[in-house]
Amino acid sequence: MQNDNSMKAAVIGLGYVGLPLSFQFAKCGVSILGLDIDSAKVDSLNHGKSYIKHIPSEAVVEVMRAGTFSASTDFSRIREVSAIIICVPTPLNKNREPDISYIIETGRNVARHLKKGMLVVLESTTYPGTTDEDLREVLEIGSGLEAGRDFHLAFSPEREDPGNPDSKVAIIPKVVGGFTPACLERAVALYSRAVKTVVPVSSCRVAEATKLLENTFRGINIALVNELKMVYSAMGIDVWEVINAAKTKPFGFMPFYPGPGLGGHCIPIDPFYLTWKAREYGQNTRFIELAGEINTSMPGYVIHRVADALNDRQKAVKGSSILILGLAYKPNVDDDRESPSYVLMDMLSERGAKVCYYDPYVPVIRPTREHPHWAGTRSVEWKKEIFERIDLVLLATNHASMNYRELAEWAPCIVDTRNAMSGIQTKPGQVWKA
C-alpha cells in the first residue's frame, strides 16, 4: 500500500454511490478510508461483507486484503488523508423542498479536522451554489481556513446506475468543477487516478447544474410517455407497442418508458432542487413542474386501473387482497429509495385493501424516512398457493428473476405497470395494463 499522503483519500457515505467509488479508487492503488455514521455498515465491511446486492462480498474482501480500503465511524481520521469526497443523501423535506442537512452536518464534521492543502469534493446531487456557498461556509467557519487559498474545494456529480451491468465507475466520464482553477486542477488529478475520462468544467455551479440537467431531462421525458400512456389507453392504443416502433428510428428519438411513478435517489428529487433554486432568481420552471405533476400523479392512475380490474370481477378495492410485485424502485436491484411501490401500498391500504408484497431483493422492509409504518413487513414467498388466494397482483417492478409464466398460471388478475407480461400467454381479461 502507498504510504504517500497524496495517495490517501476519505469517502464519506458508504451507500450506493460512495461504496463503488471507494472500491474503484482502491483498485487503482489509492488508499481509501471509508467513513459512515452507520456502524452496522462499517462493521459489515470490516468483516468482508457487502450490504448492496450488485456489489459482491468478494469485492469487499479483495480491497481489504490489498490493504487499500478500510472503514470507520471515526471522523477524526480525516487528518490522515489529503482528499475528502462527500457522498451523503440529499432528500426532500415534507414540503418537497431541498434538505441539505446531511451535507451541512458532514461539512461541520470535516471542518473540525481540515488541514491546509486538503481537497474537499462534494458528489451529492444538489442545487447550484451548494458547494461554493453552503458547504464552503461551514468548512471555513469550522476550520478557520479559506477555500481556494488554504484548501481546495470542488464538485463532481455522481453518475451511478445500479443494476446496469454496463455502469462501471471506471468508464463513466466524470464531470468536475472547481471553486478556483487550482481547485479544479487538484480534483481532476484525483479522479484521473481512477476514472478513464474526466470532464473539467468552469465552476462548481456548472457541475451541479450538469447533474440537474441530466436527471431533469429523464424526468421530463418519462412524464411525456406517462401522459401518452393515459392518452393512448383511452384511444385503445398500446403505448409500449408505439414506443417499440418509434425507437426503430435511427436518429432524433430516444426511448423512455412509462411506469407506476418515479423512484430512486435522483429522478423524483433532483428537478425539485432546480425549481426551488430558480425561484430565488425570480424564474419559473413551468415545464419541469408540469412534468413533476404528471409523474407524481401516476400512482393515482394505477390505483384507478386496479379499481377497474377488480370491478370487472365484481369486487371492490376495500376488502380485496392485493399483492405488490416488486418493492425496489427499478428492476434487479435492492434499492427501494423513493419507490412508488410504497405510495401504491399506502393508497391501497387507505382504501381498505389487504396489502402484501413480494420482492426477492427486499426480504424485509427497512426503516425509511417517508414510510416508517411499513418497517419490518416481510415479503411473502413465491408460492402457487399464496398467489392463487390473492384477488389481484399489482406488478410494480419487473425483476428478471421473477417467473412471469408461473405468475400467469397462478394469479387470477394482474395489473401490469411495466409491460412485463408482454409475450407471456395469459387468459382473456387477466392482464390490465396501467
Side-chain angles (χ1 to χ4, degrees), residues 117-136:
M118 282 185 171
L119 167 67
V120 179
V121 185
L122 178 62
E123 286 215 3
S124 307
T125 304
T126 186
Y127 53 79
T130 302
T131 305
D132 63 22
E133 289 180 353
D134 305 285
L135 179 59
R136 178 169 69 92

Side-chain angles (χ1 to χ4, degrees), residues 309-316:
L310 288 170
N311 285 340
D312 195 60
R313 286 159 175 74
Q314 291 79 48
K315 292 179 181 290

Side-chain angles (χ1 to χ4, degrees), residues 156-175:
S156 181
E158 56 88 3
R159 281 175 167 170
E160 270 293 308
D161 189 13
N164 180 355
D166 297 323
S167 177
K168 293 179 171 56
V169 176
I171 60 175
I172 299 173
K174 202 83 173 75
V175 173

Side-chain angles (χ1 to χ4, degrees), residues 7 48 84 117 131 150 162 185 191 201 221 224 239 294 353 367 375 394 430:
M7 291 290 288
I84 302 118
T131 305
D150 300 317
E185 183 180 353
Y191 283 107
V201 295
N221 281 280
L224 173 63
V239 71
I294 292 170
L394 173 49
Q430 181 185 17

